[in-house]
Amino acid sequence: DIVVKFIIKYIIIVIGVVFMDWEFSVLDNIQKYFSGNFMDNIMPKISSLGNAGLIWIILTIIMLLFKNTRKYGYTCGLSLIIMLFTGNIFIKNIVCRLRPFQIREHINLIINPPFDSSYPSGHTYASFAFATALLCCNKKLGIPAMILACMISFSRLYLYVHFPTDVLASIILGIATGILSYYIVNSKK
């Protein structure tokens, strides 16, 4: 168990070091080309939709209330539970990656600084886990959820609180978790 944790942490550190210049270049270009009063006003609001996965939890509860969407609720709820344990409890505590604003201390955040580590992005992981699970269940409902997931993920980069590799890896983890949840719930007859 300790060896596995060490190997995972080492791989993430190596990836972070190799891509660090590229990652800051992406973040700086987002600031250069997208920054402004409108974006400074809207991005914190979009990002806050993903705080503690609350929007996704509320939507899951709503789906659980109605018989015709209950199975969607089970699928999305399972994806959020898997995300909580694998992402926020397990991976974040193994990797303990600093956030971009903690390395570039001259950055002035327009939101309160997050207190936990950067990898993986919980906002992104939860968003894509939920959106993918819902998309597997119902494309009409899943597409708007996927659009919101993309917006929340971009907001985390815009706000300088995650590296691009945090977000990309979280998208992959979220998609895999959503698909897995769909197959687990639908494999039971």
Side-chain angles (χ1 to χ4, degrees):
D1 190 42
I2 293 173
V3 173
V4 171
K5 287 180 182 179
F6 175 79
I7 291 170
I8 291 171
K9 188 171 186 169
Y10 180 76
I11 289 169
I12 298 300
I13 289 169
V14 168
I15 290 170
V17 169
V18 168
F19 289 106
M20 188 68 64
D21 288 340
W22 172 80
E23 297 206 81
F24 277 118
S25 174
V26 169
L27 293 173
D28 292 342
N29 279 310
I30 288 171
Q31 290 299 305
K32 181 178 177 181
Y33 295 109
F34 293 98
S35 186
N37 288 337
F38 174 76
M39 293 293 277
D40 284 356
N41 200 2
I42 196 81
M43 283 294 120
K45 290 174 178 63
I46 291 171
S47 181
S48 71
L49 291 173
N51 289 354
L54 195 57
I55 186 76
W56 309 121
I57 293 168
I58 291 169
L59 290 172
T60 297
I61 291 169
I62 291 169
M63 287 187 290
L64 289 169
L65 293 175
F66 300 97
K67 188 175 182 175
N68 62 330
T69 59
R70 192 162 293 140
K71 201 166 194 179
Y72 306 167
Y74 292 142
T75 304
C76 293
L78 178 61
S79 74
L80 294 174
I81 291 167
I82 293 171
M83 174 270 156
L84 174 68
F85 284 101
T86 59
N88 283 6
I89 294 174
F90 184 70
I91 299 172
K92 260 191 197 284
N93 290 312
I94 290 175
V95 177
C96 301
R97 186 178 192 190
L98 292 175
R99 291 178 179 271
F101 71 86
Q102 293 172 313
I103 296 170
R104 287 207 173 154
E105 296 176 358
H106 67 279
I107 297 298
N108 293 318
L109 294 182
I110 57 175
I111 61 168
N112 292 327
F115 59 89
D116 58 351
S117 60
S118 187
Y119 182 86
S121 167
H123 283 68
T124 301
Y125 190 174
S127 296
F128 274 88
F130 177 95
T132 301
L134 187 56
L135 188 66
C136 289
C137 294
N138 182 304
K139 285 185 179 41
K140 271 188 177 178
L141 296 175
I143 289 171
M146 195 61 76
I147 291 168
L148 182 56
C150 290
M151 292 169 61
I152 289 171
S153 300
F154 178 77
S155 76
R156 305 306 285 169
L157 298 171
Y158 181 89
L159 296 169
Y160 228 90
V161 294
H162 282 290
F163 289 104
T165 52
D166 299 337
V167 170
L168 291 173
S170 299
I171 289 169
I172 293 166
L173 287 168
I175 290 170
T177 299
I179 292 169
L180 174 66
S181 299
Y182 175 77
Y183 282 107
I184 289 171
V185 169
N186 287 287
S187 68
K188 299 182 180 197
K189 299 290 176 180

